[in-house]
Amino acid sequence: NAGVTQTPKFRVLKTGQSMTLLCAQDMNHEYMYWYRQDPGMGLRLIHYSVGEGTTAKGEVPDGYNVSRLKKQNFLLGLESAAPSQTSVYFCASSFLMGGGPWDEQYFGPGTRLTVT
Amino acid sequence: AQSVTQLDSQVPVFEEAPVELRCNYSSSVSVYLFWYVQYPNQGLQLLLKYLSGSTLVESINGFEAEFNKSQTSFHLRKPSVHISDTAEYFCAVSGGSYIPTFGRGTSLIVHP
């Protein structure tokens, strides 16, 4: 199993450009998450999904949109990138059907995004 | 609501010395507690977790954490650290919400 994969690994954008980050998991997990990690701020939840076709806002959703059209994929979009969105983005997944909050999360390797 | 406080942002230590990384949580329901480790330029991976039963949980690489309900703590310890333990460590709690809450992380820096 590949686990959780993220595409791309690195990206540089100019202010105002748009892009989509792709997360894929092959563990049949129900929940998927997008986080951003900034120095001294830990992990902050952007959006999450509790199943195919569903999405919900996390702690810092402004400036981002998400979609989960297929159970194994969770896309994070930036419509108009800003320098404040320079960060490392992590995708995670968890819970098989019947699982619960006792299940751990599985993380992807991250995408390093720089907005100039 | 649930929250996690990692009391130290950075912990420097010499190789083969003991270390403790502190984590305190708050929650109004029963909790499940996790420690994740993030090595440089990698994603997070589970180090250990507490679900129920024995309050002392161990990882395969010598770390252990003790769940203390009265003090609402889940401190991580290792009796003798190695250079390879240099990493960022995150404490997390989940319970009533299926969405875990993470602490801000503690950077463990092991010096030779």
Side-chain angles (χ1 to χ4, degrees), chain A residues 43-116:
Chain A
L43 286 175
R44 292 185 290 172
L45 183 64
I46 304 171
H47 286 281
Y48 64 98
S49 167
V50 302
E52 181 178 316
T54 74
T55 63
K57 294 180 180 179
E59 180 186 355
V60 289
D62 294 341
Y64 305 95
N65 57 76
V66 288
S67 65
R68 193 164 176 206
L69 299 179
K70 293 183 178 180
K71 186 176 183 178
Q72 63 268 33
N73 295 338
F74 195 30
L75 277 63
L76 177 71
L78 286 72
E79 289 187 347
S80 180
S84 61
Q85 294 177 305
T86 293
S87 187
V88 181
Y89 291 85
F90 288 99
C91 177
S93 70
S94 64
F95 308 147
L96 292 170
M97 184 66 74
W102 51 85
D103 289 325
E104 67 266 28
Q105 290 180 308
Y106 293 78
F107 285 81
T111 295
R112 189 173 296 273
L113 175 65
T114 301
V115 183
T116 61

Side-chain angles (χ1 to χ4, degrees), chain B residues 34-101:
Chain B
F34 307 81
W35 275 101
Y36 289 85
V37 59
Q38 182 184 30
Y39 298 106
N41 299 314
Q42 295 185 26
L44 282 70
Q45 55 187 279
L46 182 71
L47 186 61
L48 49 77
K49 64 181 179 181
Y50 170 78
L51 304 183
S52 65
S54 173
T55 58
L56 188 67
V57 290
E58 298 178 353
S59 72
I60 59 172
N61 58 352
F63 281 94
E64 63 180 31
E66 186 163 16
F67 171 59
N68 188 319
K69 188 174 182 179
S70 63
Q71 298 192 1
T72 60
S73 67
F74 190 55
H75 300 333
L76 183 70
R77 302 184 181 97
K78 189 171 185 180
S80 176
V81 295
H82 302 287
I83 295 286
S84 59
D85 292 323
T86 293
E88 191 86 13
Y89 292 80
F90 291 92
C91 182
V93 62
S94 66
S97 167
Y98 278 37
I99 309 302
T101 299

